[in-house]
Amino acid sequence: MKFQSTAEYVAAPELAVAVNAAVVLGRPLLVKGEPGTGKTELARQVSASLGLPLLEWHVKSTTRAQQGLYEYDAVSRLRDSQLGDERVHDVKNYIRKGKLWQAFEAPSRVVLLIDEVDKADIEFPNDLLQELDRMEFHVYETGETVSARQRPVVIITSNNEKELPDAFLRRCFFHYIRFPDADTLAAIIRVHFPDIKEQLLTAALTEFFAIRETPGLKKKPSTSEVLDWLKLILAEDLAPADLKRDPQHLLPKLHGALLKNEQDVQLFERLAFLSRGQR
């Protein structure tokens, strides 16, 4: 099994190498990169490329590692005992399997996405060390040990919001998704908009990279944002000439798809003001 670009996803050669290396080593692939560079989508495309089912575990600030293994619903068991429900005699009726448990007991190999691991508490990655390393865990309520039938392909994403523990990093194969160059981004856009005219694509990319490279920009627009922008451009049937920015305010057409905070909008307004003052 080897991962490669799919009809819907353009994977840089070094990214494909990283995925395949992690699969061979049997280690989780830790993927970092700017928001919007396709980290989450990577897991879905690896699943499609390798023909494996996908399980997604989206981490939140309140997520605990235990939830990935299982949760024991003691409240429901107490309620059932008060109602005289026969289910109360079997503790297994109150065990809720987490995504790791589901991946371990799956009849065939799966791809497991642990998305945005850095959103949770700093102890979250450490709490998963043994389970990801040994591919097994103990269920204290039932006394059973759950072991993986087949080692899942584990893809972990991070937006670099928190530093991850060294012990966790040692157990992962790491890859940083760099922002694509103009040729790669053009290839990505053609996958999503196969009928786009080359002149419009060239004009859009010229404007996009000029915006992205503006000094002082707080939030650089990402791959997902340029795709949204182009979708609007095509919906409005704009021509290449329409994308040229007005020197009076310098904001791009449909700038709400690219600029996501008031500081960056104000930056372009200040640049336009300075430009007018120099005339």
Side-chain angles (χ1 to χ4, degrees), residues 48 68 121 167 190:
D121 184 87
R190 290 190 192 99

Side-chain angles (χ1 to χ4, degrees), residues 91-147:
V91 69
K92 290 183 179 180
N93 291 323
Y94 304 94
I95 300 291
R96 296 177 181 174
K97 298 176 181 179
K99 295 296 181 181
L100 274 171
W101 190 331
Q102 294 172 38
F104 286 3
E105 73 171 5
S108 60
R109 198 174 198 184
V110 302
V111 175
L112 173 64
L113 168 65
I114 304 177
D115 198 29
E116 297 188 329
V117 69
D118 52 326
K119 275 190 175 180
D121 184 87
I122 190 62
E123 292 304 319
F124 177 88
N126 277 334
D127 291 343
L128 288 176
L129 287 181
Q130 180 171 314
E131 288 75 16
L132 291 176
D133 205 20
R134 297 184 181 179
M135 286 288 149
E136 66 177 27
F137 62 90
H138 186 69
V139 183
Y140 295 98
E141 289 77 6
T142 64
E144 65 182 309
T145 297
V146 178
S147 300

Side-chain angles (χ1 to χ4, degrees), residues 14 27 68 92 106 113 134 159 161 187 202 215-216 237 241 260:
E14 60 270 19
R27 291 190 176 277
K92 290 183 179 180
L113 168 65
R134 297 184 181 179
N159 286 326
E161 292 182 9
T202 300
D237 197 23
K260 297 303 177 75

